[in-house]
């Protein structure tokens, strides 16, 4: 417990530094003490919601990744790679096409899409003998590509101007951040982090094997439902706000495990803090790398994540 | 202590275990033997309720297993399953501590009592020098001992062991059985052990349960059950039977 607090203090300091840097730096230098109206508008109306949304999305995806990895006994499990993010993306698009601008339709359908995609991947990957890593990854690929093609078909319904912003959004993009997106994403991240953390001791057993977990007292069905539910909730909220930012759920828990070991009581809640800092910094990179133009943040995280994925796959 | 009454287990409608009744009593060890696919592991799984029984019921201290929570069962019944491999870097100490899950909530840290039980189990299984090592860095036999240590740490008074000696060298096979015998003799634990080693069964078990094709074919003391006729019937091999000069127990020698 004491160790968890120490790690939390360090990571919160990193997150605070990341948030400060992301607010100050960008295509324009801006400080909160400026009296210039334009600078203040950049800082508070554009940059602040974007940075905070990045933090919420990062926390969401990382904590979902940590929970799914332990549940599925697979360090390669990640919302984006499992197709969960694409399920949420399809839900968001359907909401956009069918329900237009009705505010709550998008996160709701995103959540439903994420939950359905999770269930499909899980049932495809599961055999009587249990789960195996390759089968899970393959199932994720199949679901991801299938959903991608449906999404592409839906984009043909959009006009050219929207198509560009949708393409960016699909890759994971924080530039459309709104305050309502921040609130929703923050709420979802907090709820899911709490749910997943309360299951983390059970996840320590699940991570070793489903039979072990049953034998030593875990109500496996309940844990599975809570983890899938919580991860679908955060991924749905994150994707509805910022599209499919990939690999965050892979990179962050992996680095944390290297640093602090595998105890999910530490890895799960700390993934939320570290994930927030990670996406904030990745988005800062996306804003300044080719300023004044911008990259979608998902491109930056994928550039970092794909090599790690290959490394982990080879190591296994 | 743990009693199975006429239980059947089915997978997809196929009975893998039918009409099995047996009793595990305090202080006694039952060895479960039989050919591959005879239903030994299904029996063990049914005994702690990790697979549902299609018929019959299982009683733990007179209460139906079906009415107990997983945690309640885990506090009473400890399992040493066939080894599983994890892809996550878990230390031996962390692994053994997971055996204490049923005493806490799904979140929260182990208390001193939990840590004490885990450290004692680690010492008993001669794993002290491995405690900080990662499971993935251990040999199969060392991991198997860690799995036993976790079961002992859980302090369940019924021990169910699924081929616990499969990966062990001779010295550690003896250690494994000695630990189980000790727990049964001194703390009145009850144990059921699946083994393919008929000599270990003869040496340490109070009772031998012989399974064939999902049914209990023979059950009784080692001397009653481990006969040439029974072994020929179940395993389809010829054996010589005599007495182990050091212990006076039955000794089985296969004729090739």
């Amino acid at each position: 417990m004491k160790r968890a607090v120490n790690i939390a203090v360090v990571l919160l300091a990193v997150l605070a530094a990341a948030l400060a840097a992301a607010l100050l730096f960008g295509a324009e230098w801006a400080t909160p003490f400026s009296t210039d109206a334009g600078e203040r508008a950049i800082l508070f109306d554009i940059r602040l919601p974007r940075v905070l949304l990045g933090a919420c999305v990062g926390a969401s995806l990382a904590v979902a990744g940590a929970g799914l990895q332990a549940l599925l006994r697979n360090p390669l499990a990640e919302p984006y790679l499992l197709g969960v993010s694409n399920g949420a993306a399809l839900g968001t698009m359907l909401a956009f096409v069918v329900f237009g601008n009705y505010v709550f339709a998008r996160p709701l359908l995103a959540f439903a899409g994420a939950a359905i995609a999770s269930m499909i991947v899980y049932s495809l990957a599961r055999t009587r003998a249990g789960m195996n890593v390759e089968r899970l990854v393959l199932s994720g690929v199949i679901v991801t590509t299938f959903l991608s093609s449906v999404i592409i078909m839906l984009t043909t319904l959009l006009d050219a101007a929207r198509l560009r912003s949708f393409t960016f959004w699909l890759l994971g993009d924080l530039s459309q951040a709104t305050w309502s997106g921040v609130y929703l994403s923050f709420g979802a991240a907090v709820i899911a982090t709490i749910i997943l953390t309360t299951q983390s001791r059970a996840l320590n057993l699940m991570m070793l094997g489903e039979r072990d977990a049953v034998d030593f007292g875990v109500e496996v069905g309940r844990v599975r439902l809570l983890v899938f539910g919580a991860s679908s909730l955060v991924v749905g909220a994150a994707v509805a706000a910022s599209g499919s930012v990939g690999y965050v759920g892979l990179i962050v828990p992996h680095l944390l495990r290297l640093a602090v070991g595998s105890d999910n009581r530490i890895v799960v809640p700390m993934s939320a803090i570290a994930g927030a800092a990670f996406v904030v910094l990745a988005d800062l990179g996306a804003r300044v790398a080719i300023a004044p133009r911008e990259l979608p943040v998902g491109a930056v995280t994928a550039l970092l994540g794909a090599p790690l994925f290959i490394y982990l796959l080879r190591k296994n | 202590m743990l009693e199975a009454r006429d239980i059947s287990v089915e997978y997809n409608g196929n009975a893998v275990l039918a009409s099995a009744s047996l009793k595990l009593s305090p202080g006694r060890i039952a060895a479960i033997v039989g050919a591959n696919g005879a239903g030994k592991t299904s029996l063990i799984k049914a005994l702690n309720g990790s697979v549902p029984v299609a018929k019959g019921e299982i009683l733990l201290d007179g209460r139906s297993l079906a009415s107990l929570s997983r945690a309640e069962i885990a506090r009473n019944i400890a399992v040493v399953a066939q080894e599983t491999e994890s892809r996550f870097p878990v230390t031996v100490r962390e692994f053994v501590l997971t055996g204490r899950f049923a005493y806490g909530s799904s979140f929260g840290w182990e208390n001193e009592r939990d840590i004490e039980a885990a450290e004692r189990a680690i010492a008993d299984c001669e794993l002290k020098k491995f405690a900080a090592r990662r499971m993935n860095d251990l040999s199969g036999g060392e991991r198997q001992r860690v799995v036993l240590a976790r079961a002992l740490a859980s302090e369940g008074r019924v021990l169910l062991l699924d081929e616990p000696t499969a990966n062990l060298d001779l010295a550690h096979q003896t250690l494994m059985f000695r630990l189980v015998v000790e727990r049964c003799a001194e703390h009145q634990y009850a144990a059921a052990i699946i083994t393919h080693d008929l000599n270990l069964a003869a040496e340490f078990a109070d009772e031998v349960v012989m399974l064939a094709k999902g049914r209990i074919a023979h059950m009784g003391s080692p001397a009653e059950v481990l006969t040439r006729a029974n072994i020929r019937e179940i395993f389809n091999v010829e054996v010589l039977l005599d007495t182990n000069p050091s212990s006076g127990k039955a000794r089985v020698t296969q004729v090739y």
Side-chain angles (χ1 to χ4, degrees), chain A residues 1 3-4 69-70 72-76 128 132-134 197-205 207-209 211-220 222-223 257-258 260-266 269 315-316, chain B residues 11-12 41 44-45 48-50 68-71 73-74 77-82 84-90 94-95 97-110 114 134 147 150-151 154 162:
Chain A
M1 185 73 199
R3 185 153 169 264
Q69 282 157 23
L72 301 170
R73 295 181 292 291
N74 189 338
L76 297 176
R128 230 194 80 180
N132 93 20
V133 170
E134 290 75 20
T197 303
T198 61
Q199 299 307 309
S200 57
R201 198 174 171 199
L203 285 173
N204 280 350
L205 265 162
M207 170 171 93
L208 300 173
R211 183 167 172 208
D212 299 51
V214 173
D215 287 342
F216 286 92
V218 177
E219 306 281 352
V220 168
R222 199 184 66 191
V223 175
R257 268 190 225 105
L258 278 182
V260 305
S262 300
D263 189 337
N264 287 302
R265 289 171 294 191
I266 294 174
K315 204 179 80 170
N316 280 314
Chain B
Y11 289 122
N12 305 324
T41 298
I44 290 270
K45 284 183 177 175
N48 85 330
S50 54
L68 303 175
S69 72
R70 287 306 326 165
I73 294 171
I77 304 176
V79 178
V80 176
Q82 282 171 24
T84 53
E85 215 174 316
S86 174
R87 288 160 196 278
F88 295 96
V90 178
E94 285 171 336
F95 189 95
L97 272 172
T98 62
R100 302 294 298 177
F101 174 80
Y103 294 91
S105 58
S106 53
F107 182 70
W109 262 261
E110 293 85 5
D114 296 323
R134 291 193 169 159
V147 175
R150 176 174 65 175
S154 83
D162 193 346

Side-chain angles (χ1 to χ4, degrees), chain A residues 12 92-93 153 176 201 216:
Chain A
L12 283 170
T92 311
M93 286 204 70
M153 286 185 335
Q176 307 296 318
R201 198 174 171 199
F216 286 92

